[in-house]
Amino acid sequence: MEEKIRVSKLLSELGLCSRREADSYIEQGLVTVDGEVVNELGSRAFRHQKIELQSGAKAQQASRITVILNKPVGFISHFDDEQEYQPAASLITTDNYFASPLDKGRNPRFNTRGLAPAGRLDIDSTGMLVLTQDGRVAKLLIGENSPIEKEYLVRVEGALSFEDLDRLKHGLELDGVVLKPAQVSWQNEDQLRFVLREGRKRQIRRMCELVGLKVLGLKRVRMGRISLGALPPGKWRFVRPEEQF
């Protein structure tokens, strides 16, 4: 017998919003099930029912900002409760805005409330960090089954055999879990290119350790179809409406 599921969970599974956003929309009466408004938290529905966000919810989503930061060494991705390290979000200021004619007059003085990293980048790593107010973007980039590729350039020290290069591509495990297949190739004589579809903690550094390599530098240069490009270190830009991960 089919069981009813929380509407907020169904909205998240459909990729329409995050569960937290879904609860907010339900409270505002901006969600319908088979055309009927639901406004009680914890409301449930069957999977076969038609669940939709109303125009008010879509307008709220359209106003949410997503930015790309070229994170320098020394900043952490997430907020530090002990305030020992500076979070990358502290770099999202008007002074660090990298202006572009493509932004068509967008104002870098926006309300950063709710702006959070969609993924991690270690304190000693650099490159592309996405910060967003949009739960759909966060789910797409860091959801459990995210289809989004992340590309890294990794400067290494040590010898790498053909067999170990193959192991980097597929065959290694971390914490008892086999890693998903990866694309790994030499970019130049001391730099590897990694393309991953997962983001375990310090994954690339630990993978390299398993094959006897020492990581000297790591930079993320692409997430999905959006590249870091010429964005200078410490600077940020808007993700534009025509850009899709």
Side-chain angles (χ1 to χ4, degrees):
M1 183 176 178
E2 187 181 7
E3 292 185 5
K4 285 189 172 183
I5 300 167
R6 289 175 70 104
V7 172
S8 57
K9 184 175 189 294
L10 292 172
L11 282 165
S12 176
E13 287 180 357
L14 290 167
L16 297 176
C17 60
S18 69
R19 287 200 197 187
R20 181 182 297 178
E21 289 170 334
D23 284 339
S24 173
Y25 296 146
I26 289 169
E27 286 184 311
Q28 296 175 65
L30 297 175
V31 178
T32 60
V33 176
D34 288 343
E36 296 292 325
V37 172
V38 294
N39 52 22
E40 289 187 14
L41 290 179
S43 296
R44 293 175 176 266
F46 293 112
R47 287 189 184 279
H48 66 264
Q49 291 183 278
K50 188 175 184 180
I51 301 171
E52 295 180 296
L53 293 178
Q54 299 306 290
S55 58
K58 294 175 182 177
Q60 290 180 38
Q61 288 181 326
S63 69
R64 292 191 176 130
I65 300 295
T66 299
V67 304
I68 290 170
L69 169 71
N70 186 347
K71 188 189 87 65
V73 168
F75 289 82
I76 59 172
S77 301
H78 289 68
F79 291 100
D80 181 10
D81 292 337
E82 298 177 5
Q83 298 183 337
E84 185 178 355
Y85 301 106
Q86 242 184 321
S90 66
L91 293 170
I92 310 302
T93 65
T94 53
D95 288 342
N96 292 329
Y97 171 56
F98 189 65
S100 166
L102 297 173
D103 288 336
K104 299 173 184 175
R106 294 180 77 176
N107 189 352
R109 294 181 183 276
F110 68 95
N111 186 347
T112 59
R113 182 179 178 184
L115 191 71
R120 292 181 177 273
L121 203 54
D122 299 332
I123 191 170
D124 43 3
S125 299
T126 66
M128 185 172 178
L129 184 67
V130 175
L131 298 99
T132 186
Q133 297 171 329
D134 192 332
R136 296 171 300 174
V137 173
K139 180 177 174 61
L140 176 66
L141 295 181
I142 59 176
E144 186 176 347
N145 296 309
S146 171
I148 300 299
E149 291 184 344
K150 289 91 175 177
E151 180 178 347
Y152 304 81
L153 297 180
V154 186
R155 195 159 51 88
V156 295
E157 183 179 74
L160 182 67
S161 67
F162 289 114
E163 291 79 7
D164 281 339
L165 179 59
D166 285 339
R167 289 177 66 212
L168 284 173
K169 295 176 183 178
H170 195 213
L172 296 178
E173 61 178 57
L174 295 177
D175 306 319
V177 178
V178 176
L179 297 175
K180 294 179 181 178
Q183 298 175 45
V184 187
S185 59
W186 283 107
Q187 188 78 3
N188 54 49
E189 62 183 15
D190 66 351
Q191 188 168 245
L192 288 166
R193 171 181 174 268
F194 281 73
V195 179
L196 307 179
R197 289 183 183 268
E198 60 187 329
R200 309 279 296 281
K201 188 174 182 180
R202 298 182 74 82
Q203 178 172 336
I204 292 177
R205 295 176 188 276
R206 294 169 70 193
M207 289 171 71
C208 287
E209 286 174 7
L210 289 173
V211 296
L213 293 176
K214 180 181 179 181
V215 172
L216 302 178
L218 188 154
K219 181 179 184 180
R220 184 158 60 205
V221 296
R222 178 175 65 85
M223 296 180 75
R225 288 172 286 187
I226 303 181
S227 296
L228 183 65
L231 188 64
K235 299 292 185 179
W236 66 272
R237 72 168 180 86
F238 291 106
V239 171
R240 295 178 281 274
E242 65 272 17
E243 292 182 303
Q244 299 293 322
F245 286 102

